[in-house]
Amino acid sequence: MIDPYSRISAEEAVELVVSTVHELETEHVDLVSAVGRVVSEDLTSDIDIAPFDNVAMDGFALKASQIVEAAPDAPVKLKVIAEVPCGSYYDGDIADDECVRIMTGAPLPACCDCMVQYEKVDYLGTDGREGTTVAFSAPVEVGNNIRKAGEDIEAGAIAIAKHETVKAAGVGFLASCGITSVPVYRRPKVGVISIGSELVEPTELPARGKIRNSNGYALEAQVIQAGGIPQRYPIVEDTLEALTNQVLKASQECDFVVTSGGASNGDFDFIKPVIENNGKLLMTLVNMRPGKCQTFGLVNDTPVFGLPGNPAAAWCGFEIIIRQALRKMQGYTSFARPMIKAHLNGALRKKNDRRMFLRATLDRVAGELVVTPASNQSSGLASTQQRSTCLIVKPEGTIVYENGDLVDVLLMDVEEGTVL
Ligand code: AMP
Ligand code: MG
């Protein structure tokens, strides 16, 4: 086991937290609510789709052999003996000089093996309905414009496999398969606790020395974006007793608990002793900036993550580490945001042994991807997170980047697993 007081890398922190959490159990949701969710078992179709051979266009069904000799100067004339609108069918036979008028999606009559669309048929001055005669001026192949039964999926085959995410089109596909209640991994209920005797609610005008609680609300929104269900707890003052009570309560009521503030070594920082005294402390320091004081452990077997109080540090710790764990709990198989290379706008000299995540914006300039770091990277800011679209990832150690150098960029508004 890693010493919980040693400073570990961002990768090790992600690995630790992701490996500690488990996929949640199955819940059933109605069809449309399954969009974006991960299915927790293989889903099979009860029927062939399409259920029958059907025609892909509006036109005339016949046997290809009837019109092998057809040519512009020697058209083959056939009598229209039936009409098959969608939802209907024709069970009769056709003679060699007959055909059937048919609409897109209608079942191909058993006596036919192809169809010719309206546009390629001469109506000979009639309306081409039942009782008229129409002319064909070119042969077609057997199977022309026919969609085969079971072409989309055969009865009993897997429509959507375990661990696949349901897309909007997938909702329709499941509807065709007769699945109306979809087994998906449950969403985690995530307790959000804001720690700090200086905090007041946003409805209040902060008195001297006080600030509004912003992290709690940002974190609830981040939980929602990660697919979780946030559970808000009241602001906790900086006492061991108050924090102990709140963490114990939340750990019993939630699948994951996130706190912000009180995570470093100040006189009033209590998240570490609370986890240590009531459960198992697994991590306290991550070699990243912003936010090296990332605390993690288990209380009542529930993962409890203590984020730093500085807004950018809390945001970053959630996005880089916690979000990946919440995705795993919901059955997703891609955890990390996509990383790309972009040209740095400006020079950057960073003497810092930590992995740095620099809030930045990405643009395309004259065909090239260009990334511009926010000019103020203070971890106390909230505005920069709102305005940035990505993070420049600076490896550990002193790095000197010149203007235009290619740097690693983590795309914060592109879904995990996206191939770029
Ligand atoms: P801490 O980690 O408790 O030492 O807090 C670091 C900084 O973050 C302090 O300036 C706190 O006032 C600030 N802070 C802590 N919690 C919050 C919060 N919920 N919303 C906004 N700022 C906070
Ligand atoms: Mg504090």
Side-chain angles (χ1 to χ4, degrees):
M1 205 191 95
I2 312 169
D3 170 7
Y5 286 99
S6 67
R7 188 190 285 207
I8 62 175
S9 69
E11 277 82 15
E12 287 168 322
V14 169
E15 164 64 23
L16 172 67
V17 178
V18 168
S19 66
T20 302
V21 302
H22 307 286
E23 282 170 353
L24 296 176
E25 68 277 19
T26 294
E27 66 174 348
H28 283 78
V29 294
D30 67 46
L31 193 48
V32 177
S33 307
V35 70
R37 303 289 296 273
V38 184
V39 306
S40 58
E41 38 187 274
D42 291 345
L43 302 177
T44 55
S45 180
D46 60 346
I47 54 168
D48 280 348
I49 301 167
F52 42 80
D53 290 355
N54 65 98
V55 305
M57 299 185 126
D58 295 330
F60 298 89
L62 63 158
K63 287 190 276 274
S65 60
Q66 291 172 271
I67 56 170
V68 272
E69 306 285 323
D73 56 354
V76 173
K77 294 180 183 172
L78 303 179
K79 274 182 273 180
V80 182
I81 58 146
E83 293 189 6
V84 191
C86 249
S88 182
Y89 56 88
Y90 175 70
D91 259 352
D93 223 331
I94 53 168
D96 273 355
D97 61 347
E98 293 173 344
C99 65
V100 171
R101 185 179 171 94
I102 194 162
M103 307 298 126
T104 306
L108 179 72
C111 58
C112 300
D113 61 18
C114 68
M115 71 87 60
V116 180
Q117 64 265 45
Y118 283 162
E119 296 75 9
K120 297 195 172 163
V121 178
D122 184 352
Y123 283 18
L124 302 172
T126 72
D127 61 3
R129 306 292 297 260
E130 191 172 337
T132 64
T133 294
V134 295
F136 299 79
S137 56
V140 295
E141 305 269 305
V142 168
N144 189 58
N145 288 333
I146 303 306
R147 302 186 291 211
K148 300 296 287 178
E151 192 176 302
D152 222 357
I153 186 170
E154 286 177 357
I158 295 173
I160 297 191
K162 178 176 176 165
H163 281 127
E164 262 188 73
T165 302
V166 181
K167 300 178 185 178
V171 167
F173 189 33
L174 291 178
S176 307
C177 297
I179 295 164
T180 53
S181 172
V182 186
V184 295
Y185 292 100
R186 186 167 68 73
R187 297 177 184 280
K189 185 172 163 191
V190 182
V192 177
I193 300 175
S194 305
I195 308 167
S197 298
E198 74 280 31
L199 302 177
V200 299
E201 286 302 343
T203 45
E204 278 185 49
L205 200 58
R208 192 161 176 207
K210 304 281 186 183
I211 59 166
R212 287 186 174 128
N213 170 21
S214 66
N215 289 347
Y217 295 91
L219 289 166
E220 281 186 45
Q222 287 174 283
V223 167
I224 291 170
Q225 283 191 330
I229 302 163
Q231 162 87 19
R232 182 182 307 169
Y233 288 94
I235 291 167
V236 178
E237 59 176 10
D238 288 309
T239 70
L240 185 64
E241 193 192 2
L243 186 57
T244 302
N245 290 340
Q246 201 68 278
V247 168
L248 283 176
K249 181 168 161 43
S251 68
Q252 269 153 354
E253 294 173 348
C254 302
D255 302 301
F256 197 108
V257 178
V258 178
T259 69
S260 80
S264 49
N265 297 316
D267 296 343
F268 300 98
D269 293 331
F270 294 118
I271 189 64
K272 281 184 286 209
V274 164
I275 297 177
E276 200 155 39
N277 298 344
N278 298 282
K280 194 170 174 192
L281 190 64
L282 297 169
M283 171 181 102
T284 57
L285 275 179
V286 180
N287 200 26
M288 63 187 272
R289 184 177 172 163
K292 73 173 186 304
C293 294
Q294 311 276 351
T295 303
F296 180 63
L298 294 169
V299 174
N300 287 320
D301 283 334
T302 302
V304 177
F305 200 109
L307 290 161
N310 278 312
W315 176 83
C316 199
F318 186 99
E319 290 301 316
I320 301 295
I321 307 170
I322 297 174
R323 185 177 157 103
Q324 303 207 29
L326 298 184
R327 284 182 68 81
K328 178 179 172 185
M329 294 171 92
Q330 294 164 84
Y332 293 101
T333 47
S334 299
F335 303 145
R337 295 278 196 185
M339 180 99 97
I340 57 155
K341 296 255 184 214
H343 296 281
L344 184 66
N345 181 16
L348 212 53
R349 273 150 227 277
K350 291 288 173 194
K351 279 193 193 159
N352 194 304
D353 65 339
R354 287 195 249 161
R355 170 84 50 91
M356 291 184 74
F357 297 99
L358 301 161
R359 283 149 279 163
T361 48
L362 187 68
D363 295 289
R364 196 176 283 280
V365 180
E368 300 281 358
L369 287 174
V370 174
V371 64
T372 308
S375 54
N376 186 345
Q377 293 286 336
S378 162
S379 60
L381 304 178
S383 55
T384 44
Q385 290 85 272
Q386 165 64 25
R387 291 180 193 132
S388 50
T389 55
C390 60
L391 292 171
I392 297 171
V393 183
K394 180 209 78 84
E396 291 78 355
T398 299
I399 304 264
V400 177
Y401 292 121
E402 302 301 341
N403 184 33
D405 277 358
L406 277 177
V407 295
D408 286 325
V409 175
L410 210 46
L411 299 175
M412 302 311 284
D413 51 9
V414 178
E415 198 181 334
E416 290 87 346
T418 304
V419 178
L420 299 166

